[in-house]
Amino acid sequence: MWRFLWRSIDRFSLQYFKHVITELQKIKVVDMYNRELVVDLLQSIVEIVTYGDRQDSQIFECFMERQVLAEFVRVLKISKNSRIEAPLLQYLSIMIQNMDSEYAIYYCLSNDYVNNIITHPYKFDVGDLAQYYISFLRSVSNKINGDTLCLLVKVHGDAVVSFPLYSEALKFTQHGEKMIQTAIRALTLNIYNVSDDMVYQFITTPPFSKYFSDLVHSLKEQCIHLDNLVHALEEMGINQRRKELLLKTDRLVDDLYYLKDILCVGETRLSNVVTQNVINLLLFPILHPLLQLRQSGGSNLSPITSLYIVSCLIQVIGGKSIVNYVAGVLLYPYMSSSVRDAWEACLSSAVFNHFNDMEKSPCSTKSEGAESVNGSPLCRHFPEGRILDLILSDNHSLSLASLFLLLTLTESQDLEDKLASMVSLSAMQHGMVMEESILVKFMPQILNALLNVLASEPPTTVQIKWHTGWFLRKLLIFQGIRLDEHNFHLFNNSFERSCICVEKELDGCWFDHIIDVLRNEWASCKTALEESSQSKDPLFLLEFTICQITDGDATSSHVAWQRMVDVVKVFILHLQLKAFISKGEFLEKSSLDSIVVLPFDSAKNLASGLSSASFGSEVSLASGIPCRIAFSNAGTRDIYLIPVARGISGKLLLVEKHPFRSQRGVVIAIAPLAGLSVSPDTVKL
């Protein structure tokens, strides 16, 4: 009604703005009866102020003179179950987001108006008020800078004693809504990037420093849930487990990137508190299963999950403290006294708190071989040769995962020179001969372990073998590393077995698709082998455990198809590795025809014979699928099904075994394959 009475006046005029303010000031209580009126007034004020900030300075002068923000605070206080809070916060967010002038922003953040709105006792258990509240907080955080941050904090002496924008936001860190969690993280990063010395001190000391330990504790819980999923038995199918695995790892990696963003702020105290929590609360407990520490209260994660988490930490967060801590822990048994002393000196005393606690703990026991490492209390917690034991393990997944972690450390720019020399794959680094590199020293054994994975039989999956090929290529490209006679012989034997497996598939029911699969998978294999370390997602380490081959029905057409595809993929891998070992480069697809034409001639001839078969023809049963079929007049008979397809045409042969020739049969029926082009003469019974 009030808008109808004033419709002849420009609704963005100063006169109209004063009228709206007056109407709002007349409101003595906000209830369900006048709620719509109040919402209308608030909306009009925000629209006019936003216009005035850009177009009419008199409007904003009036906004300040009449202390309109104080009216917003008053409306909150006089509300009687009117649910006015949500629209009020929404309109305030819009107004702050659209303010351009620094003068207007400075005014809005001053006089404690915003702090009073932030600390109002809202009832967040009603409706979606929490979303509007967090949106308002984020809008405010987007407008703060080094000059305006001081308007939102309360200082006593030389210390910040209150910072409502930050402290109230942290109360929502565990909220179930993903949108709210994302907004909180954006808000905190906005604050971290503009804070001054006093605010950093406030953020990084108790009780608010607990936020960072809570983040790491949450990560640790996610790791436990992830490990449970990886090792779930029959609770869900492979596809469902893979889907859940992607969801959980995506969330975990997102959290790691958030920690990385905090570290990228570059403030020393902020970086120290994050790094200390990551090392003390996450890294140290996760490394326990790898190092076989006998301390209670460990993470109880399986080694494969532990290796995945540590690899992600190195890839995503990195940093000198974390990278060199992990490298030092894994390489401690192999360190010379000079390298060991340098490593211990570069770590902060906080890192060693765990070791000191372990010395006092009645559970701590002296590890075998500890006396041989300079007698340091630190050394007795790292069993001799543990990381190499993992790499040379008979457990293929564990072997590849531990090697991936070591290679990830090798390529880190944050690794100290002396530690880098211990895992260098190059014979030279910074002009020095890398005599103490454990990777170079044990390279024949490592290559032997990889070649044993390559040559292994099921349940080793094709995925594991392709990743093994990636590791082999990576190790072989470095200077001076070649296969010795024993390993070369091992590879040739593996190559020959892959050829034999392909030849067997020529007698299978999918023999006529082998060449197509070969062409289709050729590029995929080459891409997988040439993938860069930086882009290689450690997720493949966890997928090893859920991609095991199931036995199934050996006569099933689907199982036969998958077996044929897997055999061809392993054959392609061996072809490419053979070329790389001999020539130092992979084969291009253009050379495919000259390489594989001869082995598949028999497949082409066999396919040609079947395609021309007619009723009563005698054909080979090699590619047939055995089954039993009940006929109305002839009872149940043993029949072989032989599908034959060419392009968009195809047929299904029903063949009965020859009474005198065990590998031959007689065609008793011919029918078109479903979904293919059918001609009248393809149906013969």
Side-chain angles (χ1 to χ4, degrees):
M1 177 62 72
W2 64 273
R3 276 194 175 184
F4 175 78
L5 296 174
W6 283 80
R7 64 183 180 181
S8 59
I9 298 178
D10 181 5
R11 58 189 303 265
F12 289 104
S13 66
L14 179 60
Q15 182 182 4
Y16 181 72
F17 183 51
K18 290 179 179 179
H19 168 73
V20 174
I21 296 173
T22 301
E23 291 296 314
L24 183 62
Q25 290 172 336
K26 292 178 181 179
I27 304 294
K28 303 304 179 184
V29 64
V30 182
D31 52 28
M32 296 305 296
Y33 297 103
N34 64 353
R35 179 183 181 278
E36 292 303 320
L37 171 63
V38 175
V39 168
D40 214 14
L41 292 170
L42 295 176
Q43 180 182 355
S44 295
I45 288 174
V46 167
E47 290 174 349
I48 297 171
V49 170
T50 302
Y51 168 82
D53 178 52
R54 300 176 181 179
Q55 303 291 336
D56 190 343
S57 60
Q58 288 185 324
I59 289 178
F60 199 81
E61 292 291 337
C62 177
F63 175 78
M64 293 187 293
E65 181 183 336
R66 302 284 291 270
Q67 297 186 8
V68 177
L69 275 180
E71 288 300 312
F72 279 70
V73 176
R74 186 180 69 86
V75 167
L76 283 175
K77 292 180 179 179
I78 63 175
S79 174
K80 303 295 182 182
N81 298 320
S82 65
R83 298 188 180 181
I84 195 66
E85 294 86 355
L88 183 143
L89 290 171
Q90 181 185 19
Y91 292 136
L92 273 177
S93 299
I94 293 171
M95 184 179 74
I96 292 174
Q97 286 172 7
N98 287 282
M99 281 186 172
D100 289 334
S101 71
E102 294 182 6
Y103 179 68
I105 295 169
Y106 193 93
Y107 171 77
C108 288
L109 299 182
S110 62
N111 299 312
D112 254 2
Y113 295 135
V114 169
N115 279 343
N116 286 331
I117 293 171
I118 292 173
T119 56
H120 178 77
Y122 299 96
K123 296 179 180 179
F124 293 109
D125 55 345
V126 179
D128 52 0
L129 179 60
Q131 296 182 9
Y132 290 106
Y133 180 73
I134 296 302
S135 178
F136 168 69
L137 297 187
R138 183 174 181 177
S139 298
V140 174
S141 74
N142 287 337
K143 295 297 182 179
I144 60 175
N145 55 38
D147 297 324
T148 57
L149 181 65
C150 60
L151 302 174
L152 298 176
V153 301
K154 293 183 179 179
V155 178
H156 181 72
D158 58 352
V160 173
V161 295
S162 175
F163 188 5
L165 177 63
Y166 186 72
S167 58
E168 294 300 317
L170 293 191
K171 295 178 181 179
F172 291 84
T173 54
Q174 299 301 319
H175 198 279
E177 287 285 339
K178 178 66 176 177
M179 185 191 75
I180 289 180
Q181 292 180 10
T182 302
I184 294 300
R185 294 187 175 186
L187 178 151
T188 54
L189 289 173
N190 286 340
I191 292 173
Y192 300 153
N193 277 292
V194 300
S195 293
D196 57 20
D197 187 72
M198 287 192 297
V199 175
Y200 281 129
Q201 188 65 26
F202 176 83
I203 289 169
T204 57
T205 54
F208 296 104
S209 60
K210 185 176 180 293
Y211 172 59
F212 303 104
S213 61
D214 287 344
L215 280 173
V216 180
H217 277 302
S218 174
L219 270 172
K220 188 175 177 181
E221 287 298 316
Q222 290 182 56
C223 294
I224 294 172
H225 293 316
L226 178 63
D227 191 52
N228 292 336
L229 174 64
V230 168
H231 298 285
L233 298 176
E234 303 297 332
E235 298 173 5
M236 62 180 73
I238 290 178
N239 291 334
Q240 182 62 27
R241 283 175 67 188
R242 185 180 286 108
K243 181 180 179 181
E244 291 294 324
L245 190 68
L246 288 172
L247 290 174
K248 289 187 181 298
T249 52
D250 283 349
R251 181 187 172 191
L252 188 145
V253 172
D254 282 347
D255 288 355
L256 291 179
Y257 272 109
Y258 174 57
L259 292 177
K260 174 69 172 179
D261 289 339
I262 297 175
L263 292 174
C264 287
V265 171
E267 206 283 324
T268 303
R269 281 164 296 186
L270 200 59
S271 297
N272 285 345
V273 72
V274 171
T275 302
Q276 178 181 332
N277 277 291
V278 169
I279 292 177
N280 289 346
L281 301 179
L282 186 63
L283 261 180
F284 190 92
I286 280 181
L287 286 172
H288 287 185
L290 299 179
L291 304 173
Q292 295 182 333
L293 299 180
R294 297 185 180 93
Q295 184 191 21
S296 60
S299 68
N300 297 320
L301 294 179
S302 66
I304 190 70
T305 305
S306 299
L307 288 163
Y308 166 76
I309 299 300
V310 178
S311 297
C312 285
L313 281 166
I314 300 301
Q315 272 196 346
V316 176
I317 297 181
K320 289 187 177 296
S321 297
I322 290 175
V323 168
N324 289 292
Y325 172 75
V326 173
V329 169
L330 298 181
L331 302 175
Y332 199 87
Y334 315 100
M335 290 181 184
S336 64
S337 58
S338 61
V339 175
R340 188 181 304 119
D341 292 342
W343 177 67
E344 292 181 4
C346 79
L347 293 179
S348 65
S349 59
V351 171
F352 287 94
N353 286 342
H354 276 292
F355 295 109
N356 295 332
D357 292 342
M358 291 172 66
E359 290 302 312
K360 300 172 185 176
S361 170
C363 300
S364 80
T365 57
K366 197 172 191 180
S367 299
E368 230 178 277
E371 294 301 329
S372 65
V373 194
N374 206 30
S376 167
L378 180 62
C379 71
R380 66 185 64 170
H381 304 292
F382 304 111
E384 184 76 30
R386 179 57 176 153
I387 188 63
L388 275 177
D389 289 345
L390 293 174
I391 293 175
L392 303 178
S393 167
D394 291 334
N395 183 322
H396 298 158
S397 299
L398 203 55
S399 175
L400 297 183
S402 51
L403 182 57
F404 182 78
L405 173 57
L406 216 53
L407 291 178
T408 303
L409 284 170
T410 300
E411 298 188 354
S412 173
Q413 299 298 316
D414 295 315
L415 194 61
E416 293 291 339
D417 287 345
K418 288 187 176 181
L419 290 175
S421 70
M422 295 186 63
V423 290
S424 173
L425 284 165
S426 175
M428 299 289 293
Q429 182 173 333
H430 303 302
M432 301 182 297
V433 179
M434 299 292 102
E435 296 179 354
E436 55 184 348
S437 171
I438 64 171
L439 284 177
V440 173
K441 181 179 179 181
F442 294 96
M443 187 56 66
Q445 295 95 315
I446 295 172
L447 290 173
N448 184 263
L450 291 173
L451 289 169
N452 280 322
V453 177
L454 194 67
S456 61
E457 300 294 333
T460 303
T461 63
V462 175
Q463 289 86 348
I464 290 181
K465 293 192 176 186
W466 274 27
H467 288 298
T468 301
W470 179 85
F471 281 106
L472 280 169
R473 172 189 176 267
K474 194 160 190 64
L475 296 180
L476 289 170
I477 61 177
F478 287 94
Q479 178 182 348
I481 299 176
R482 295 291 183 268
L483 292 182
D484 59 22
E485 184 177 352
H486 173 72
N487 284 333
F488 189 75
H489 179 71
L490 182 59
F491 173 77
N492 280 336
N493 287 341
S494 179
F495 177 79
E496 289 174 5
R497 280 196 293 273
S498 73
C499 293
I500 292 171
C501 290
V502 173
E503 289 176 3
K504 288 181 179 179
E505 288 301 319
L506 296 179
D507 293 329
C509 61
W510 296 106
F511 69 91
D512 50 339
H513 288 271
I514 291 178
I515 295 179
D516 291 336
V517 172
L518 189 71
R519 297 183 189 281
N520 293 338
E521 296 293 342
W522 187 270
S524 299
C525 180
K526 189 170 183 289
T527 300
L529 291 173
E530 294 177 334
E531 185 179 14
S532 67
S533 300
Q534 292 78 11
S535 62
K536 196 167 185 68
D537 189 344
L539 179 63
F540 78 91
L541 305 176
L542 300 181
E543 289 182 328
F544 287 162
T545 62
I546 66 171
C547 295
Q548 298 302 315
I549 297 175
T550 56
D551 292 330
D553 181 4
T555 62
S556 164
S557 176
H558 173 73
V559 171
W561 168 266
Q562 192 58 54
R563 183 184 63 242
M564 181 272 291
V565 172
D566 290 348
V567 164
V568 172
K569 290 171 75 172
V570 172
F571 176 67
I572 296 171
L573 173 64
H574 280 83
L575 278 176
Q576 290 288 25
L577 288 176
K578 187 175 181 66
F580 192 83
I581 291 170
S582 60
K583 300 179 180 179
E585 59 184 19
F586 291 128
L587 298 169
E588 296 298 331
K589 194 171 183 179
S590 58
S591 59
L592 179 59
D593 291 336
S594 61
I595 295 169
V596 298
V597 131
L598 291 178
F600 298 103
D601 279 347
S602 59
K604 292 180 180 179
N605 295 334
L606 182 58
S608 176
L610 288 172
S611 62
S612 62
S614 59
F615 183 79
S617 297
E618 187 178 309
V619 296
S620 171
L621 298 177
S623 60
I625 304 171
C627 62
R628 292 175 65 83
I629 299 179
F631 293 86
S632 58
N633 297 323
T636 301
R637 298 161 66 177
D638 292 323
I639 299 296
Y640 286 78
L641 300 179
I642 303 178
V644 182
R646 281 294 179 271
I648 61 171
S649 65
K651 56 190 176 182
L652 182 66
L653 306 181
L654 270 64
V655 182
E656 188 171 23
K657 192 173 183 180
H658 196 284
F660 305 113
R661 304 176 66 181
S662 61
Q663 298 302 316
R664 307 288 289 179
V666 178
V667 177
I668 63 172
I670 303 175
L673 283 176
L676 298 179
S677 176
V678 180
S679 59
D681 59 347
T682 59
V683 182
K684 297 179 181 178
L685 294 176

